[in-house]
Amino acid sequence: MHPLRVSVRAVCYRDDKILLAEHRDDRGLWYIIPGGGIQHNETLDLAFKRELLEETGGEADMGDILFVREVIADELDTTYLPKHLHQIELFVEATNFRQITEASEPDKDQIGTVWMPLDKLPDVLFFPKTMVEALQAKSFDKIYQGHIM
């Protein structure tokens, strides 16, 4: 049996930019919203703060859940996700972002963070790509976005 993984991601805007974790692998540069798995007996707000600090070196206030994404790797045509991964991702509003240090535990292939102009988001390899328009508009019409890449 493969356990369901729950993760939290910090959606942080500054003017017309969004904070992204920048990665590099054989596809070149690609980007995701910073965040990661919630550990056993860890609250959502503690995971939010820990993941943001580990991946960006920053702190922010946790706001509302903006949307939920589900990932079932075995149903996707990709070799880049772990086999049998089933993950629920909670995308949470991050406000009052403050840079306090360097990223302490970046993810595999993560090379840094970037404040990406929202108008450039469609032009880069970004996941989840189906959420680009909603992220650009800062408008989320439904909480559960389904199983998307």
Side-chain angles (χ1 to χ4, degrees), residues 10-146:
V11 180
C12 187
Y13 292 106
R14 180 180 287 162
D15 301 319
D16 288 327
K17 297 177 181 170
I18 188 167
L19 182 62
L20 301 178
E22 184 175 46
H23 296 256
R24 182 189 310 271
D25 62 17
D26 61 348
R27 297 171 285 186
L29 291 175
W30 55 276
Y31 303 87
I32 59 174
I33 305 279
I38 300 171
Q39 299 171 357
H40 182 70
N41 286 336
E42 183 178 42
T43 62
L44 179 61
D45 62 324
L46 288 177
F48 171 89
K49 291 179 185 311
R50 177 183 53 76
E51 285 290 341
L52 194 59
L53 185 63
E54 287 176 359
E55 293 188 11
T56 72
E59 291 181 339
D61 298 325
M62 186 175 122
D64 291 332
I65 293 174
L66 300 175
F67 65 95
V68 176
R69 170 187 180 227
E70 186 170 15
V71 179
I72 303 172
D74 295 351
E75 294 183 8
L76 297 171
D77 185 27
T78 181
T79 58
Y80 291 100
L81 293 172
K83 192 174 178 103
H84 308 305
L85 172 73
H86 185 187
Q87 179 167 276
I88 303 294
E89 295 181 321
L90 308 172
F91 287 76
V92 178
E93 177 184 29
T95 59
N96 302 316
F97 180 84
R98 302 162 299 286
Q99 190 74 42
I100 60 167
T101 186
E102 297 295 316
S104 61
E105 295 184 44
D107 282 346
K108 178 184 178 292
D109 300 323
Q110 184 181 345
I111 60 171
T113 57
V114 62
W115 285 98
M116 179 70 65
L118 290 170
D119 62 348
K120 301 289 184 198
L121 208 48
D123 303 326
V124 299
L125 185 56
F126 170 80
F127 303 102
K129 56 185 131 185
T130 54
M131 292 304 298
V132 167
E133 286 183 26
L135 287 164
Q136 285 181 301
K138 302 179 186 176
S139 176
F140 309 95
D141 61 347
K142 59 184 181 177
I143 298 294
Y144 178 64
Q145 296 295 330

